[in-house]
Amino acid sequence: MNINMTLIGQSITFFIFVWFCMKFVWPPIVSALETRRKQIADGLAAADRGRHELELAARRASENLHEAKQKAAEIIAQAEKRAIQLVEEAKGAAKEEGDRLIVAAQAEIEQESHRAREALRAEVAALVVAGAGRVLRREVNPQAHADLLEAIKNEL
Amino acid sequence: MSAEAHDSTHYIKHHLQNLAYGKLPAGYVREDGQALTQDTWTIAHTAKEAKDMGFLAFHIDSLGFSVGLMLALMILFRSVATRISTGVPSGMQNFVEMIIEFVDGAVRGSFTSRNNLVAPLALTIFLWVFCMNLMDLLPIDWLPGLATMLGVPFLKVVPSTDPNVTFGMSLSVFALVLYYSVKMKGAGGFFSELAFQPFPKYMFPVNLLLEGVGLIAKPISLALRLFGNMYAGEMIFILIALMFSGGVALAVFGGVLQWAWAVFHILVITLQAFIFMTLTIVYLDMAHQEHH
């Protein structure tokens, strides 16, 4: 219980320990703690950012998908419309072609029948002339009566 | 009965005596009857010799245990600090970081100015007071018994039951309080804080008296609180230890009591270390604050 130089000894060692703590113990540990705190905070922020980006990406993907679906539907609709159009066009062309063929055929038929009729007429005229010639042998001269024969031929 | 009472008194006194190394003057008659021919630095063999050494003496046990324990702790902390990693901490680093963060939190909570000294100071105080108090949990006869076997006359194991130790720390803190008061407020500012409040200026003698008592009370209360708590705790342990020589029933009861008191003391030693640290922080905070 005596007060003596222990008091002074204790005070001196106290200041030495405080100095030691201040110089060699406190700063490295506290700075390490600070660094770790920062690392953790950065990590958490990065994770947050990552989560946010993931969300955005998912939204963008679903948007793209939706758009693609829409576009595909559009394309299909267009193609269908085009196909119908093509069929219609083909139908039109075929009908035109058919009509044209029919017209040509009719024209040909008419020409053919005309030609046949001409040939027939010529032949009938010839026959008539031959018949008449046989009947008239003398009086009728084909050269003198050509205009008459021609008139008959036209009437047939 | 009187012999037994004398034994008990001797036992208690023996446990409360520090191992003192000091100067005895020439002509001093020692306990073995021999007179000293010249001034001698020696170990006191009796309580009277220790007392007669006066101020020129050291308590080898107080200084040895306190400095030794703190040195070990400082080496431990320094070794952690040198190979500290900012990655995942493990083992001892975890423990050290926990203490550092605890002290850092206490300083941040109570100290409002900026001073790089305060946190390490608080750490030193907390660790030192705690490890000095921790010696209280050792069964009280182990180390003194060992010392007696080795021929050492006295050994007081708990340094914080020595008022030299507690006053050594509290007066150091007080010196820092005075230093920072003057540094932050100037000598005039510090004086006006003591003299010109709480009452008006013309009553400055009353103010000075009030504030002076308040100022002086800081280191005294700081030291006496720790000393008183630890001394009383140690005393109870000694009284409980006396029961061990009083028959089987008393010895068993004493064993239970000692265990219970030790468990309670785990709280007390931590609390005392925390209080000493917190009050130091608060006093230094007040030293940094301008009152007006």
Side-chain angles (χ1 to χ4, degrees):
Chain A
M1 293 289 282
N2 313 309
I3 294 292
N4 53 33
M5 280 167 72
T6 312
L7 181 80
I8 293 165
Q10 182 77 7
S11 303
I12 292 168
T13 43
F14 177 74
F15 280 118
I16 292 171
F17 280 137
V18 170
W19 170 80
F20 184 82
C21 252
M22 194 172 147
K23 208 82 185 162
F24 300 111
V25 174
W26 191 265
I29 295 179
V30 165
S31 76
L33 288 179
E34 197 51 48
T35 311
R36 187 182 313 135
R37 200 197 320 276
K38 215 170 120 36
Q39 277 174 0
I40 292 173
D42 288 353
L44 286 177
D48 252 3
R49 215 162 36 239
R51 201 166 21 236
H52 188 64
E53 263 161 31
L54 186 68
E55 229 167 71
L56 279 184
R59 198 176 307 155
R60 212 174 307 135
S62 82
E63 261 169 29
N64 281 352
L65 197 65
H66 186 70
E67 212 169 286
K69 268 184 188 163
Q70 225 168 6
K71 210 171 271 180
E74 232 166 72
I75 288 172
I76 288 171
Q78 231 163 24
E80 266 170 13
K81 213 161 83 182
R82 179 84 187 122
I84 290 169
Q85 205 179 356
L86 277 178
V87 168
E88 288 300 320
E89 270 174 17
K91 262 188 202 166
K95 196 166 176 319
E96 236 167 68
E97 181 71 9
D99 286 352
R100 201 173 54 77
L101 281 177
I102 288 168
V103 169
Q106 274 174 345
E108 207 168 326
I109 287 168
E110 212 162 292
Q111 215 172 357
E112 209 60 40
S113 78
H114 187 71
R115 201 178 302 141
R117 201 181 292 147
E118 287 297 315
L120 209 56
R121 194 180 287 161
E123 229 164 284
V124 168
L127 277 176
V128 168
V129 171
R134 239 174 247 170
V135 173
L136 299 176
R137 196 74 60 177
R138 301 263 177 110
E139 296 113 283
V140 179
N141 187 349
Q143 273 84 33
H145 300 95
D147 52 334
L148 185 69
L149 286 174
E150 189 63 28
I152 293 167
K153 202 167 73 182
N154 278 342
E155 265 165 46
L156 284 171
Chain B
M1 186 64 208
S2 89
E4 200 179 297
H6 177 75
D7 273 0
S8 300
T9 315
H10 180 258
Y11 179 81
I12 294 171
K13 279 189 172 163
H14 185 263
H15 267 288
L16 295 180
Q17 177 58 47
N18 282 108
L19 178 64
Y21 177 81
K23 193 177 114 176
L24 288 172
Y28 184 82
V29 182
R30 301 202 64 172
E31 47 119 15
D32 54 5
Q34 288 182 331
L36 294 169
T37 54
Q38 55 186 355
D39 291 359
T40 313
W41 281 88
T42 182
I43 288 175
H45 288 179
T46 62
K48 185 175 180 310
E49 276 186 6
K51 195 171 172 59
D52 289 338
M53 283 171 176
F55 192 72
L56 287 178
F58 293 100
H59 289 161
I60 297 172
D61 46 3
S62 295
L63 281 176
F65 279 118
S66 66
V67 175
L69 285 169
M70 190 59 177
L71 213 54
L73 263 185
M74 285 286 101
I75 289 168
L76 173 75
F77 270 61
R78 176 61 189 160
S79 75
V80 168
T82 47
R83 56 192 164 77
I84 195 162
S85 82
T86 56
V88 180
S90 61
M92 192 50 74
Q93 191 185 330
N94 251 330
F95 172 72
V96 167
E97 282 181 5
M98 191 183 79
I99 294 175
I100 295 268
E101 291 201 310
F102 165 70
V103 173
D104 197 38
V107 172
R108 275 173 207 280
S110 306
F111 192 76
T112 48
S113 312
R114 277 200 61 78
N115 190 337
N116 288 337
L117 172 78
V118 174
L121 175 77
L123 177 69
T124 310
I125 287 175
F126 182 73
L127 287 179
W128 208 3
V129 173
F130 182 78
C131 69
M132 288 194 294
N133 291 352
L134 196 61
M135 297 302 284
D136 209 9
L137 293 181
L138 281 181
I140 56 163
D141 276 322
W142 282 10
L143 292 177
L146 190 69
T148 308
M149 271 194 273
L150 294 174
V152 179
F154 301 103
L155 191 70
K156 205 171 163 190
V157 179
V158 190
S160 47
T161 56
D162 184 350
N164 287 300
V165 168
T166 60
F167 272 103
M169 294 179 76
S170 78
L171 289 177
S172 306
V173 169
F174 187 55
L176 286 175
V177 167
L178 291 182
Y179 171 74
Y180 280 112
S181 292
V182 172
K183 190 185 172 193
M184 290 315 204
K185 304 162 191 170
F190 184 41
F191 178 77
S192 71
E193 193 180 291
L194 290 177
F196 300 147
Q197 57 145 359
F199 300 117
K201 283 187 180 182
Y202 59 84
M203 288 181 77
F204 78 90
V206 182
N207 289 334
L208 210 52
L209 187 70
L210 276 176
E211 292 288 320
V213 168
L215 188 69
I216 301 298
K218 284 176 186 172
I220 294 178
S221 66
L222 209 52
L224 286 184
R225 181 182 302 108
L226 178 59
F227 165 71
N229 269 284
M230 299 320 294
Y231 191 80
E234 182 78 346
M235 199 69 179
I236 303 273
F237 273 125
I238 294 171
L239 294 178
I240 290 171
L242 279 177
M243 297 170 78
F244 293 140
S245 54
V248 176
L250 260 185
V252 170
F253 182 55
V256 173
L257 272 184
Q258 190 187 22
W259 181 83
W261 187 242
V263 169
F264 178 59
H265 240 60
I266 295 174
L267 174 69
V268 172
I269 61 178
T270 319
L271 197 63
Q272 286 304 321
F274 179 68
I275 289 172
F276 205 116
M277 176 187 81
T278 307
L279 284 178
T280 302
I281 297 169
V282 170
Y283 291 158
L284 278 171
D285 183 48
M286 284 159 74
H288 282 72
Q289 299 258 315
E290 295 279 353
H291 272 274
H292 299 293

